[in-house]
Amino acid sequence: MTGLVMQQSPHGTLFLWPDHWHVVGRLMPNRPHRHISASWLVGLDGCFRIRVDGHWRMTRAALVAPDVEQSLEPGDTRMWCAQLDPDSRYWRSLCHLLEERSWVEVSHSVEELDSIADMGCAGVHEALLNILQALGERPEPLDDRVQQVCGLLRAELPERIQVASLAASVGLSPSRLSHLFRQQVGVPLRRFLLHLKVNQVLAHWERGKTVSQLALDAGFYDQPHFVRTARDMFDALPSEYVTTGWFNVCRCGLSSSS
């Protein structure tokens, strides 16, 4: 995929917000990978294949928990794929649907979502809010200390997790913070920080910028560290979608409070 050269108009759009992002359009098949975010997946034109828990299923709409290994074969259908940060109200509003499972097929009419492919960022975000209204529940608030740690990590993007320092800042022991964070957010502190750094790369990706510069700007040790992380989370580098022109990128949600 790295050598892909666009010969036609973009296949879709990547929409970015601070705590979630969406891809709407045609996706490439991918091998097993683990998003740190939760995955909301809808086939806009028909069913798609998803592999979770070691088995392939055919479905029209699915919700996958954070940090769960998955593979996608979209076939001929356009997709709406929303990646919801594990500390976001969007995921916490929908997580009740899983009932402790790693994924769930969602029974919801998706025919009216066909037009999402022609929407801008406001329309895509409204579509997500409509899903929350139809399927979501009032999210339980995160523990204030966990919320504070999430905010610190988002603001500072440290090179490494300093658990002792983070724990002291919220009045917890390192072991208690690690346990409480994993219990409430669903992923370890280190994985959460890597997710934030990859999102930072997406937010600043532009044609002409090198992978190594973006990786360093986002706080990765070096380019290989970023490449390994991106392959683990997406089975792809952003360059394989963005710099080739496969996707347009809309960043207007990053400057708005959603």
Coordinates of all heavy atoms in Angstrom, one line a residue, residues 14-92:
L14 N -11.4 12.1 6.1 CA -11.0 11.9 7.4 C -11.4 13.1 8.2 O -10.9 14.2 7.9 CB -9.5 11.6 7.6 CG -8.9 11.6 9.0 CD1 -9.4 10.5 9.8 CD2 -7.4 11.5 8.9
F15 N -12.3 13.0 9.2 CA -12.8 14.1 10.0 C -12.2 14.0 11.4 O -12.3 13.0 12.1 CB -14.3 14.1 10.1 CG -15.0 14.2 8.8 CD1 -15.4 13.1 8.1 CD2 -15.4 15.5 8.3 CE1 -16.1 13.2 6.9 CE2 -16.1 15.6 7.1 CZ -16.4 14.5 6.4
L16 N -11.5 15.1 11.9 CA -10.8 15.0 13.2 C -11.4 15.9 14.2 O -11.8 17.1 13.9 CB -9.4 15.4 12.9 CG -8.5 14.6 12.0 CD1 -7.2 15.3 11.7 CD2 -8.3 13.2 12.5
W17 N -11.6 15.4 15.4 CA -12.0 16.1 16.6 C -11.0 15.8 17.7 O -10.2 14.8 17.6 CB -13.4 15.7 17.1 CG -14.5 16.4 16.4 CD1 -15.1 17.5 16.7 CD2 -15.1 16.0 15.1 NE1 -16.1 17.8 15.8 CE2 -16.1 16.9 14.8 CE3 -14.9 14.9 14.3 CZ2 -16.9 16.8 13.7 CZ3 -15.7 14.7 13.2 CH2 -16.7 15.7 12.9
P18 N -10.9 16.5 18.8 CA -9.9 16.2 19.8 C -10.1 14.9 20.5 O -9.1 14.3 20.9 CB -10.2 17.4 20.9 CG -10.7 18.5 20.1 CD -11.6 17.8 19.0
D19 N -11.3 14.3 20.6 CA -11.5 13.1 21.3 C -12.2 12.0 20.5 O -12.6 11.0 21.0 CB -12.2 13.3 22.6 CG -13.6 13.9 22.4 OD1 -13.9 14.2 21.3 OD2 -14.3 14.1 23.4
H20 N -12.3 12.2 19.2 CA -12.8 11.2 18.3 C -12.5 11.6 16.8 O -12.2 12.8 16.6 CB -14.3 11.0 18.5 CG -15.2 12.2 18.1 ND1 -15.2 13.3 18.9 CD2 -16.1 12.4 17.1 CE1 -16.0 14.2 18.3 NE2 -16.6 13.6 17.3
W21 N -12.5 10.7 15.9 CA -12.4 11.0 14.5 C -13.2 10.0 13.7 O -13.5 8.9 14.2 CB -10.9 11.1 14.1 CG -10.0 9.9 14.4 CD1 -9.2 9.7 15.5 CD2 -9.8 8.7 13.6 NE1 -8.5 8.5 15.4 CE2 -8.8 7.9 14.2 CE3 -10.3 8.3 12.3 CZ2 -8.4 6.7 13.7 CZ3 -9.8 7.1 11.8 CH2 -8.9 6.3 12.5
H22 N -13.5 10.4 12.5 CA -14.3 9.6 11.6 C -13.6 9.4 10.2 O -12.9 10.4 9.8 CB -15.6 10.3 11.3 CG -16.4 10.6 12.5 ND1 -17.6 10.0 12.8 CD2 -16.2 11.5 13.5 CE1 -18.1 10.5 14.0 NE2 -17.2 11.4 14.4
V23 N -13.8 8.3 9.6 CA -13.5 8.1 8.2 C -14.8 7.8 7.5 O -15.5 6.9 7.9 CB -12.4 7.0 8.0 CG1 -12.3 6.7 6.5 CG2 -11.1 7.4 8.5
V24 N -15.1 8.5 6.4 CA -16.3 8.2 5.6 C -15.9 8.0 4.2 O -15.3 8.9 3.6 CB -17.3 9.3 5.8 CG1 -18.6 9.0 4.9 CG2 -17.8 9.6 7.2
G25 N -16.1 6.8 3.6 CA -15.7 6.6 2.3 C -15.3 5.1 2.1 O -15.7 4.2 2.9
R26 N -14.4 4.9 1.2 CA -14.0 3.5 0.9 C -12.6 3.3 1.6 O -11.7 4.0 1.5 CB -13.8 3.4 -0.7 CG -15.1 3.5 -1.4 CD -15.1 2.9 -2.8 NE -16.4 3.1 -3.4 CZ -17.5 2.3 -3.2 NH1 -17.3 1.2 -2.4 NH2 -18.6 2.5 -3.8
L27 N -12.6 2.2 2.3 CA -11.4 1.8 3.1 C -10.7 0.6 2.4 O -11.3 -0.2 1.7 CB -11.8 1.4 4.5 CG -12.6 2.4 5.3 CD1 -12.8 1.9 6.7 CD2 -11.7 3.7 5.4
M28 N -9.4 0.5 2.7 CA -8.7 -0.6 2.3 C -8.9 -1.8 3.3 O -9.1 -1.5 4.5 CB -7.2 -0.3 2.2 CG -6.8 0.9 1.3 SD -5.0 1.2 1.5 CE -4.9 2.8 0.7
P29 N -8.9 -3.0 2.8 CA -8.9 -4.1 3.8 C -7.7 -4.0 4.7 O -6.6 -3.5 4.3 CB -8.8 -5.4 2.9 CG -9.2 -4.9 1.5 CD -8.8 -3.5 1.4
N30 N -7.8 -4.5 5.9 CA -6.6 -4.5 6.8 C -6.4 -5.8 7.5 O -7.4 -6.6 7.7 CB -6.7 -3.3 7.7 CG -8.0 -3.2 8.4 OD1 -8.5 -4.2 9.0 ND2 -8.7 -2.0 8.4
R31 N -5.2 -6.0 8.0 CA -4.9 -7.2 8.8 C -5.1 -6.9 10.3 O -5.5 -5.8 10.6 CB -3.4 -7.5 8.6 CG -3.1 -7.9 7.1 CD -1.6 -7.9 6.9 NE -1.0 -6.6 7.0 CZ 0.2 -6.3 6.7 NH1 1.1 -7.2 6.3 NH2 0.7 -5.1 6.9
P32 N -5.0 -7.9 11.1 CA -5.2 -7.7 12.6 C -4.5 -6.5 13.1 O -3.3 -6.3 12.9 CB -4.8 -9.0 13.2 CG -4.9 -10.0 12.1 CD -4.6 -9.3 10.9
H33 N -5.2 -5.6 13.9 CA -4.7 -4.5 14.5 C -5.6 -4.1 15.7 O -6.7 -4.7 15.9 CB -4.7 -3.3 13.5 CG -6.0 -2.9 13.0 ND1 -6.6 -3.6 12.0 CD2 -6.8 -1.9 13.3 CE1 -7.8 -3.1 11.8 NE2 -8.0 -2.0 12.5
R34 N -5.1 -3.2 16.6 CA -5.8 -2.9 17.8 C -5.9 -1.4 18.0 O -4.9 -0.8 18.3 CB -5.2 -3.5 19.0 CG -5.3 -5.0 19.1 CD -4.8 -5.5 20.5 NE -3.5 -5.2 20.8 CZ -3.0 -5.0 22.0 NH1 -3.8 -5.2 23.1 NH2 -1.7 -4.7 22.2
H35 N -7.0 -0.8 17.7 CA -7.3 0.6 18.0 C -7.3 0.7 19.5 O -7.9 -0.1 20.2 CB -8.6 1.1 17.4 CG -8.7 1.0 15.9 ND1 -7.9 1.9 15.1 CD2 -9.3 0.2 15.1 CE1 -8.2 1.7 13.9 NE2 -9.0 0.6 13.8
I36 N -6.8 1.8 20.1 CA -7.0 2.1 21.5 C -8.4 2.7 21.7 O -9.0 2.6 22.7 CB -5.9 3.1 22.0 CG1 -4.5 2.5 21.7 CG2 -6.0 3.4 23.5 CD1 -4.3 1.1 22.2
S37 N -8.9 3.3 20.6 CA -10.2 3.9 20.7 C -11.3 2.8 20.4 O -10.9 1.7 19.9 CB -10.4 5.0 19.6 OG -9.9 4.6 18.4
A38 N -12.5 3.0 20.7 CA -13.6 2.1 20.3 C -13.9 2.4 18.9 O -13.8 3.5 18.4 CB -14.8 2.4 21.2
S39 N -14.4 1.4 18.2 CA -14.7 1.5 16.8 C -16.2 1.3 16.5 O -16.8 0.3 16.9 CB -14.0 0.4 16.0 OG -12.6 0.4 16.1
W40 N -16.8 2.4 15.9 CA -18.2 2.3 15.4 C -18.1 2.2 13.9 O -17.6 3.0 13.2 CB -18.9 3.6 15.8 CG -20.2 3.8 15.1 CD1 -20.4 4.7 14.1 CD2 -21.5 3.2 15.4 NE1 -21.8 4.6 13.7 CE2 -22.4 3.7 14.5 CE3 -21.9 2.3 16.4 CZ2 -23.7 3.3 14.5 CZ3 -23.2 1.8 16.3 CH2 -24.1 2.4 15.4
L41 N -18.6 1.1 13.4 CA -18.5 0.7 12.0 C -19.9 0.5 11.4 O -20.7 -0.3 11.9 CB -17.7 -0.6 11.9 CG -16.3 -0.5 12.5 CD1 -15.7 -1.9 12.7 CD2 -15.3 0.3 11.7
V42 N -20.1 1.2 10.2 CA -21.3 1.0 9.5 C -21.0 0.9 8.0 O -20.2 1.7 7.5 CB -22.2 2.3 9.7 CG1 -23.5 2.2 8.8 CG2 -22.6 2.4 11.2
G43 N -21.6 -0.1 7.4 CA -21.5 -0.3 5.9 C -22.6 0.6 5.3 O -23.8 0.3 5.5
L44 N -22.2 1.6 4.6 CA -23.2 2.5 4.0 C -24.0 1.9 2.9 O -25.2 2.3 2.6 CB -22.5 3.8 3.6 CG -21.9 4.6 4.7 CD1 -21.2 5.8 4.2 CD2 -22.9 5.0 5.8
D45 N -23.4 1.0 2.1 CA -24.1 0.5 0.9 C -24.5 -1.0 1.1 O -25.2 -1.6 0.3 CB -23.2 0.5 -0.3 CG -22.6 1.9 -0.5 OD1 -23.5 2.9 -0.6 OD2 -21.4 2.1 -0.6
G46 N -24.1 -1.6 2.2 CA -24.4 -3.0 2.5 C -23.5 -3.5 3.6 O -22.9 -2.8 4.3
C47 N -23.5 -4.8 3.7 CA -22.7 -5.5 4.7 C -21.2 -5.5 4.5 O -20.8 -5.4 3.3 CB -23.2 -6.9 4.9 SG -24.9 -7.0 5.6
F48 N -20.5 -5.7 5.5 CA -19.0 -5.8 5.4 C -18.6 -7.0 6.3 O -19.4 -7.5 7.1 CB -18.3 -4.5 5.8 CG -18.6 -4.1 7.2 CD1 -17.8 -4.5 8.3 CD2 -19.7 -3.3 7.5 CE1 -18.1 -4.1 9.6 CE2 -20.1 -2.9 8.8 CZ -19.3 -3.3 9.9
R49 N -17.3 -7.4 6.2 CA -16.8 -8.5 7.0 C -15.9 -7.9 8.1 O -15.1 -7.1 7.8 CB -16.1 -9.5 6.2 CG -16.9 -10.3 5.2 CD -16.1 -11.3 4.4 NE -15.7 -12.4 5.3 CZ -14.6 -13.1 5.2 NH1 -13.6 -12.6 4.4 NH2 -14.3 -14.1 6.0
I50 N -16.0 -8.4 9.3 CA -15.2 -8.0 10.4 C -14.7 -9.2 11.1 O -15.5 -10.2 11.3 CB -15.9 -7.0 11.3 CG1 -14.9 -6.5 12.4 CG2 -17.1 -7.6 11.9 CD1 -15.4 -5.4 13.2
R51 N -13.4 -9.2 11.5 CA -12.9 -10.4 12.3 C -12.6 -9.9 13.7 O -11.8 -9.0 13.9 CB -11.6 -10.9 11.6 CG -11.0 -12.1 12.3 CD -9.7 -12.6 11.5 NE -9.2 -13.8 12.0 CZ -8.3 -14.0 13.0 NH1 -7.9 -12.9 13.6 NH2 -7.9 -15.1 13.4
V52 N -13.3 -10.5 14.7 CA -13.1 -10.2 16.1 C -13.1 -11.5 16.8 O -13.9 -12.4 16.4 CB -14.1 -9.2 16.6 CG1 -13.8 -8.8 18.0 CG2 -14.3 -8.0 15.7
D53 N -12.3 -11.6 17.9 CA -12.3 -12.8 18.7 C -11.9 -14.0 17.8 O -12.3 -15.2 18.1 CB -13.6 -13.1 19.3 CG -14.0 -12.0 20.4 OD1 -13.0 -11.4 20.9 OD2 -15.2 -11.8 20.6
G54 N -11.1 -13.8 16.7 CA -10.6 -14.9 15.9 C -11.6 -15.4 14.9 O -11.3 -16.4 14.2
H55 N -12.8 -14.8 14.7 CA -13.8 -15.2 13.8 C -14.3 -14.1 12.9 O -14.4 -13.0 13.3 CB -15.0 -15.8 14.6 CG -14.6 -17.0 15.5 ND1 -14.4 -18.2 15.0 CD2 -14.5 -17.0 16.8 CE1 -14.1 -19.0 16.0 NE2 -14.2 -18.3 17.2
W56 N -14.5 -14.5 11.6 CA -15.1 -13.5 10.7 C -16.6 -13.5 10.8 O -17.2 -14.5 10.9 CB -14.7 -13.8 9.3 CG -13.3 -13.5 8.9 CD1 -12.2 -14.4 8.9 CD2 -12.7 -12.2 8.6 NE1 -11.1 -13.7 8.5 CE2 -11.4 -12.4 8.3 CE3 -13.3 -10.9 8.5 CZ2 -10.5 -11.3 8.0 CZ3 -12.5 -9.9 8.1 CH2 -11.1 -10.1 7.9
R57 N -17.2 -12.3 10.7 CA -18.6 -12.1 10.7 C -19.0 -11.2 9.6 O -18.2 -10.3 9.3 CB -19.2 -11.6 12.0 CG -19.3 -12.6 13.1 CD -18.1 -12.6 14.0 NE -18.4 -13.3 15.3 CZ -17.5 -13.4 16.3 NH1 -16.3 -12.9 16.1 NH2 -17.8 -14.1 17.4
M58 N -20.2 -11.3 9.1 CA -20.8 -10.4 8.1 C -21.8 -9.6 8.9 O -22.7 -10.1 9.5 CB -21.4 -11.1 6.9 CG -21.9 -10.2 5.8 SD -20.6 -9.6 4.8 CE -20.2 -11.0 3.8
T59 N -21.7 -8.3 8.7 CA -22.7 -7.4 9.5 C -22.8 -6.1 8.7 O -22.1 -5.8 7.8 CB -22.1 -7.1 10.9 OG1 -23.1 -6.4 11.6 CG2 -20.8 -6.3 10.9
R60 N -23.8 -5.3 9.1 CA -24.1 -4.0 8.6 C -23.6 -2.9 9.5 O -23.2 -1.8 9.1 CB -25.6 -3.8 8.3 CG -26.0 -2.5 7.5 CD -25.5 -2.5 6.1 NE -25.7 -1.3 5.5 CZ -26.8 -0.8 4.9 NH1 -27.9 -1.6 4.8 NH2 -26.9 0.4 4.3
A61 N -23.6 -3.2 10.8 CA -23.2 -2.2 11.8 C -22.7 -2.9 13.0 O -23.2 -3.9 13.5 CB -24.3 -1.2 12.2
A62 N -21.5 -2.4 13.6 CA -20.9 -3.0 14.7 C -20.2 -2.0 15.6 O -19.8 -0.9 15.2 CB -19.9 -4.1 14.3
L63 N -20.1 -2.3 16.9 CA -19.4 -1.6 17.9 C -18.3 -2.5 18.5 O -18.7 -3.6 19.0 CB -20.3 -1.0 18.9 CG -19.7 -0.2 20.1 CD1 -19.2 1.1 19.5 CD2 -20.7 0.1 21.2
V64 N -17.1 -2.0 18.5 CA -16.0 -2.8 19.0 C -15.3 -2.1 20.1 O -15.1 -0.9 20.0 CB -14.9 -3.1 17.9 CG1 -13.8 -4.1 18.5 CG2 -15.6 -3.8 16.7
A65 N -15.1 -2.8 21.2 CA -14.5 -2.1 22.4 C -13.1 -1.7 22.2 O -12.4 -2.1 21.2 CB -14.5 -3.1 23.6
P66 N -12.6 -0.7 23.0 CA -11.2 -0.3 22.8 C -10.2 -1.4 23.0 O -10.4 -2.4 23.8 CB -11.0 0.7 24.0 CG -12.4 1.2 24.2 CD -13.3 0.0 24.0
D67 N -9.1 -1.4 22.3 CA -7.9 -2.3 22.5 C -8.3 -3.7 22.2 O -7.7 -4.6 22.8 CB -7.4 -2.1 23.9 CG -5.8 -2.3 23.9 OD1 -5.2 -2.2 22.9 OD2 -5.3 -2.6 25.0
V68 N -9.2 -3.9 21.3 CA -9.6 -5.3 20.8 C -9.0 -5.5 19.4 O -9.2 -4.7 18.5 CB -11.1 -5.5 20.9 CG1 -11.5 -6.8 20.2 CG2 -11.6 -5.4 22.3
E69 N -8.4 -6.7 19.2 CA -7.8 -7.0 17.9 C -9.0 -7.2 16.9 O -9.9 -7.9 17.2 CB -7.0 -8.2 18.0 CG -6.2 -8.5 16.7 CD -5.3 -9.7 16.7 OE1 -5.8 -10.8 16.5 OE2 -4.1 -9.5 17.0
Q70 N -8.8 -6.6 15.7 CA -9.9 -6.7 14.7 C -9.2 -6.6 13.3 O -8.1 -6.1 13.2 CB -10.9 -5.5 14.9 CG -10.3 -4.2 14.8 CD -11.3 -3.1 15.2 OE1 -12.1 -2.7 14.4 NE2 -11.2 -2.6 16.4
S71 N -9.9 -7.1 12.3 CA -9.6 -6.9 10.9 C -10.9 -6.5 10.2 O -12.0 -6.9 10.6 CB -9.0 -8.2 10.3 OG -7.8 -8.6 11.0
L72 N -10.7 -5.8 9.1 CA -11.9 -5.4 8.3 C -11.7 -5.7 6.8 O -10.6 -5.5 6.3 CB -12.0 -3.8 8.5 CG -13.2 -3.2 7.7 CD1 -14.5 -3.6 8.2 CD2 -13.0 -1.7 7.7
E73 N -12.8 -6.2 6.2 CA -12.8 -6.4 4.8 C -14.1 -5.7 4.3 O -15.2 -6.2 4.4 CB -12.9 -7.9 4.4 CG -11.5 -8.6 4.6 CD -11.5 -10.0 4.0 OE1 -12.6 -10.4 3.5 OE2 -10.5 -10.6 4.0
P74 N -14.0 -4.4 3.9 CA -15.2 -3.7 3.5 C -15.9 -4.1 2.3 O -17.1 -3.8 2.1 CB -14.7 -2.2 3.4 CG -13.2 -2.4 3.1 CD -12.8 -3.6 3.8
G75 N -15.2 -4.8 1.4 CA -15.8 -5.2 0.1 C -16.1 -4.0 -0.7 O -15.3 -3.1 -0.8
D76 N -17.3 -4.0 -1.3 CA -17.7 -2.9 -2.2 C -18.4 -1.8 -1.5 O -18.8 -0.8 -2.1 CB -18.6 -3.4 -3.3 CG -17.8 -4.4 -4.2 OD1 -16.6 -4.2 -4.4 OD2 -18.4 -5.3 -4.8
T77 N -18.6 -1.9 -0.2 CA -19.4 -0.9 0.5 C -18.6 0.3 1.0 O -17.4 0.1 1.4 CB -20.2 -1.5 1.7 OG1 -21.0 -0.4 2.2 CG2 -19.3 -2.0 2.7
R78 N -19.1 1.5 0.9 CA -18.5 2.6 1.6 C -18.7 2.4 3.1 O -19.7 1.8 3.5 CB -19.1 3.9 1.1 CG -18.8 4.2 -0.4 CD -19.7 5.3 -0.8 NE -21.1 5.0 -0.6 CZ -22.1 5.9 -0.6 NH1 -21.9 7.2 -0.8 NH2 -23.4 5.5 -0.5
M79 N -17.8 2.9 3.9 CA -17.9 2.8 5.3 C -18.0 4.1 6.0 O -17.5 5.1 5.6 CB -16.6 2.1 5.8 CG -16.4 0.7 5.3 SD -17.6 -0.6 5.9 CE -17.3 -0.4 7.7
W80 N -18.7 4.1 7.2 CA -18.6 5.1 8.2 C -17.9 4.5 9.4 O -18.5 3.6 10.0 CB -20.0 5.7 8.5 CG -19.9 6.6 9.7 CD1 -18.9 7.4 10.1 CD2 -21.0 6.9 10.6 NE1 -19.2 8.1 11.2 CE2 -20.5 7.8 11.6 CE3 -22.3 6.4 10.7 CZ2 -21.3 8.3 12.6 CZ3 -23.1 6.9 11.7 CH2 -22.6 7.9 12.7
C81 N -16.7 4.9 9.6 CA -15.9 4.4 10.7 C -15.6 5.5 11.7 O -14.9 6.5 11.3 CB -14.6 3.8 10.2 SG -13.5 3.3 11.5
A82 N -16.2 5.5 12.9 CA -15.9 6.5 13.9 C -15.0 5.8 15.0 O -15.4 4.8 15.5 CB -17.2 7.0 14.5
Q83 N -13.9 6.5 15.3 CA -13.0 6.0 16.4 C -13.2 6.9 17.6 O -12.9 8.1 17.5 CB -11.6 6.1 15.9 CG -11.3 5.1 14.8 CD -11.5 3.6 15.1 OE1 -12.0 2.9 14.3 NE2 -11.2 3.2 16.3
L84 N -13.7 6.4 18.7 CA -14.1 7.1 19.8 C -13.1 6.9 21.0 O -12.9 5.8 21.4 CB -15.5 6.7 20.3 CG -16.6 6.5 19.2 CD1 -17.9 6.0 19.7 CD2 -16.8 7.9 18.5
D85 N -12.5 8.0 21.4 CA -11.5 7.8 22.5 C -12.1 7.1 23.7 O -13.2 7.4 24.1 CB -11.0 9.2 22.9 CG -10.0 9.7 21.9 OD1 -9.8 9.2 20.8 OD2 -9.3 10.7 22.2
P86 N -11.3 6.3 24.4 CA -11.8 5.5 25.5 C -12.3 6.3 26.7 O -13.0 5.8 27.5 CB -10.7 4.6 25.8 CG -9.5 5.2 25.3 CD -9.9 6.0 24.1
D87 N -11.8 7.6 26.8 CA -12.3 8.5 27.9 C -13.4 9.4 27.4 O -13.8 10.2 28.2 CB -11.1 9.3 28.4 CG -10.5 10.2 27.4 OD1 -10.5 9.9 26.2 OD2 -10.0 11.3 27.8
S88 N -13.8 9.3 26.2 CA -14.8 10.3 25.7 C -16.2 9.9 26.1 O -16.5 8.8 26.4 CB -14.7 10.3 24.1 OG -15.3 9.1 23.6
R89 N -17.1 10.9 26.1 CA -18.5 10.7 26.5 C -19.2 9.9 25.4 O -20.2 9.2 25.7 CB -19.2 12.0 26.7 CG -19.3 12.9 25.4 CD -19.9 14.2 25.7 NE -20.0 15.1 24.6 CZ -21.1 15.2 23.8 NH1 -22.1 14.5 24.0 NH2 -21.1 16.1 22.8
Y90 N -18.7 9.9 24.2 CA -19.3 9.2 23.1 C -19.2 7.7 23.3 O -20.2 6.9 23.3 CB -18.6 9.5 21.7 CG -18.6 11.0 21.5 CD1 -17.4 11.7 21.7 CD2 -19.7 11.7 21.1 CE1 -17.3 13.1 21.5 CE2 -19.6 13.1 20.9 CZ -18.5 13.8 21.1 OH -18.4 15.1 20.9
W91 N -18.0 7.2 23.6 CA -17.8 5.8 23.9 C -18.5 5.4 25.2 O -19.2 4.4 25.3 CB -16.3 5.5 24.0 CG -16.0 4.2 24.8 CD1 -15.3 4.1 25.9 CD2 -16.5 2.9 24.5 NE1 -15.2 2.8 26.3 CE2 -16.0 2.0 25.5 CE3 -17.3 2.3 23.5 CZ2 -16.2 0.6 25.5 CZ3 -17.5 1.0 23.5 CH2 -17.0 0.1 24.4
R92 N -18.4 6.2 26.2 CA -19.0 5.9 27.5 C -20.5 5.9 27.5 O -21.2 5.2 28.3 CB -18.5 6.8 28.6 CG -17.0 6.5 29.0 CD -16.5 7.4 30.1 NE -16.5 8.8 29.8 CZ -17.3 9.7 30.4 NH1 -18.2 9.3 31.3 NH2 -17.2 11.0 30.1

